[in-house]
Amino acid sequence: MGNTSSMLTQYDIEEVQQHCKNAFTQQEIVSLYQRFCQLDRNNCGFIPSDEFLSIPEFAVNPLSQIIFKVYDTDCNGKVSFDDMLTVLRDLTGQYMSEQQRKEVLAQVLEEAGYTKDSFLVLSDFMKILGNSDLKMEAEVPVD
């Protein structure tokens, strides 16, 4: 996906819907994408976590419930290690090995005080999102 709303195609929208198991309407996806483009001030295709969390509207993480739904891939109200691994797999594709993904996730969970056997409910998830000391950054080349 590009960095302007005009580059968001119907195919892109449907692909996001499929990935999120239709948790979002087409209009919600377009709105979220347009807001992302507004926040991506450097036009680099991502928003660094410190910059994201410095936005006053996000100080209390109002998007955490939306983000939680993306990570809760089996829609059971809990985010498991496997749920997070599924999302990370989709985000990194061939640029990370499965072992690297598992190691990164295990480290992030450990730093947040959880184990790979933990099931995160929304409040746990918000705690991790709000912890500015935790950073899980990886640069992934875009076409």
Side-chain angles (χ1 to χ4, degrees):
M1 287 186 232
N3 202 30
T4 62
S5 59
S6 64
M7 294 184 70
L8 188 63
T9 67
Q10 182 66 30
Y11 175 80
D12 293 328
I13 295 168
E14 290 171 2
E15 189 175 33
V16 170
Q17 278 188 306
Q18 183 180 16
H19 173 73
C20 296
K21 297 185 169 88
N22 294 312
F24 303 102
T25 67
Q26 289 190 6
Q27 184 56 46
E28 287 173 322
I29 292 168
V30 169
S31 295
L32 287 169
Y33 182 73
Q34 288 172 340
R35 183 64 174 141
F36 170 81
C37 291
Q38 292 171 348
L39 296 172
D40 183 14
R41 295 183 183 119
N42 297 329
N43 294 325
C44 57
F46 67 93
I47 304 167
S49 61
D50 57 335
E51 191 175 314
F52 184 83
L53 293 173
S54 73
I55 299 167
E57 297 95 356
F58 298 145
V60 292
N61 289 319
L63 287 181
S64 55
Q65 291 182 7
I66 293 167
I67 295 168
F68 183 81
K69 286 173 28 179
V70 172
Y71 278 84
D72 183 14
T73 59
D74 56 7
C75 301
N76 68 351
K78 301 174 189 169
V79 175
S80 69
F81 184 83
D82 288 337
D83 289 333
M84 289 181 274
L85 191 59
T86 297
V87 173
L88 187 57
R89 191 178 295 122
D90 289 340
L91 292 173
T92 60
Q94 65 185 2
Y95 300 104
M96 282 181 85
S97 70
E98 191 71 5
Q99 185 60 36
Q100 288 172 316
R101 290 183 198 108
K102 289 178 181 180
E103 289 172 7
V104 166
L105 285 177
Q107 180 181 352
V108 168
L109 287 172
E110 181 180 314
E111 289 176 12
Y114 298 93
T115 69
K116 64 184 263 180
D117 296 323
S118 299
F119 287 92
L120 308 178
V121 294
L122 180 59
S123 59
D124 298 320
F125 193 77
M126 289 172 62
K127 175 184 163 189
I128 291 173
L129 281 182
N131 187 344
S132 60
D133 294 335
L134 293 176
K135 301 222 187 280
M136 185 172 87
E137 298 177 353
E139 289 194 26
V140 178
V142 180
D143 301 351

